[in-house]
Amino acid sequence: QIIKGDLFFALCLARLLENKEEAFNGFFGSKYLDAWRMSYTKALGPDASFQDIAKFVQSYDASQMEGLQKPVFGKLFEILENYHENNNGDEYTSEIFNSPNHPMADITKTNVLDGKSFAIQLKASENKDYIESALRKYPDTPIIVPKGVAEKVNHPLVMDGNYSLDKL
């Protein structure tokens, strides 16, 4: 089943299962592998090689692949938004929390001019109910969603990121 950007994930998963390491030499390929490392910190860790990740993925049954990749999709969104923030030339930097499931937020954004920081959630989803649920749970925490989704939610703390679901 391939919809809205799933082609990238389907192809990457296929390349992992086939041990095609060279397919991950580019920018998005390396970020995809980083997303695996950051999603499964106990099983993989920050220094996991391509072979470690491939072996981890291959240890699961085909029926488990969709669920296995779900946190990787969200983590890739965080990685890409974090990369963009740290390379866009403005006065802000950001850092992803080390824990893959930090309870309140995913990144900390800091103004380098005054040193003030604040936490932000990232939701790689267009599901309005899911996003509104996060707002109810953490009513003072801003949320970054894929480009084009914020207008559907229409809340002052929900803002578009730099990547649409299609691009992601």
Side-chain angles (χ1 to χ4, degrees), residues 36-79:
W36 278 96
R37 291 177 189 106
M38 294 173 77
S39 295
Y40 294 99
T41 55
K42 290 181 182 168
L44 297 171
D47 299 321
S49 68
F50 169 84
Q51 291 301 325
D52 295 334
I53 297 167
K55 200 181 271 186
F56 174 74
V57 172
Q58 293 163 3
S59 72
Y60 284 84
D61 183 81
S63 66
Q64 298 171 302
M65 292 299 159
E66 185 177 340
L68 190 65
Q69 276 203 120
K70 191 172 184 173
V72 176
F73 183 78
K75 190 56 73 175
L76 182 61
F77 182 59
E78 293 173 22
I79 289 169

Side-chain angles (χ1 to χ4, degrees), residues 15-56:
R15 296 303 177 253
L16 277 174
L17 293 169
E18 298 169 342
N19 289 311
K20 303 277 185 175
E21 185 171 1
E22 66 279 358
F24 298 92
N25 289 338
F27 176 79
F28 286 103
S30 68
K31 298 302 179 201
Y32 175 81
L33 294 177
D34 287 342
W36 278 96
R37 291 177 189 106
M38 294 173 77
S39 295
Y40 294 99
T41 55
K42 290 181 182 168
L44 297 171
D47 299 321
S49 68
F50 169 84
Q51 291 301 325
D52 295 334
I53 297 167
K55 200 181 271 186
F56 174 74

Side-chain angles (χ1 to χ4, degrees), residues 2-137:
I2 299 175
I3 56 171
K4 287 197 176 185
D6 286 348
L7 181 59
F8 175 76
F9 274 80
L11 290 173
C12 285
L13 184 62
R15 296 303 177 253
L16 277 174
L17 293 169
E18 298 169 342
N19 289 311
K20 303 277 185 175
E21 185 171 1
E22 66 279 358
F24 298 92
N25 289 338
F27 176 79
F28 286 103
S30 68
K31 298 302 179 201
Y32 175 81
L33 294 177
D34 287 342
W36 278 96
R37 291 177 189 106
M38 294 173 77
S39 295
Y40 294 99
T41 55
K42 290 181 182 168
L44 297 171
D47 299 321
S49 68
F50 169 84
Q51 291 301 325
D52 295 334
I53 297 167
K55 200 181 271 186
F56 174 74
V57 172
Q58 293 163 3
S59 72
Y60 284 84
D61 183 81
S63 66
Q64 298 171 302
M65 292 299 159
E66 185 177 340
L68 190 65
Q69 276 203 120
K70 191 172 184 173
V72 176
F73 183 78
K75 190 56 73 175
L76 182 61
F77 182 59
E78 293 173 22
I79 289 169
L80 292 175
E81 288 295 333
N82 186 63
Y83 179 86
H84 182 271
E85 184 56 59
N86 289 323
N87 292 282
N88 66 1
D90 69 7
E91 69 273 15
Y92 290 95
T93 61
S94 65
E95 186 176 346
I96 298 174
F97 284 100
N98 288 336
S99 168
N101 293 312
H102 192 273
M104 183 185 82
D106 300 304
I107 64 172
T108 301
K109 204 170 197 180
T110 303
N111 183 318
V112 296
L113 301 176
D114 64 16
K116 292 183 181 176
S117 295
F118 55 97
I120 298 176
Q121 288 189 44
L122 286 98
K123 300 293 180 200
S125 174
E126 61 185 352
N127 182 324
K128 187 177 175 183
D129 293 334
Y130 174 61
I131 296 164
E132 288 174 343
S133 170
L135 283 167
R136 284 189 298 278
K137 192 169 183 180

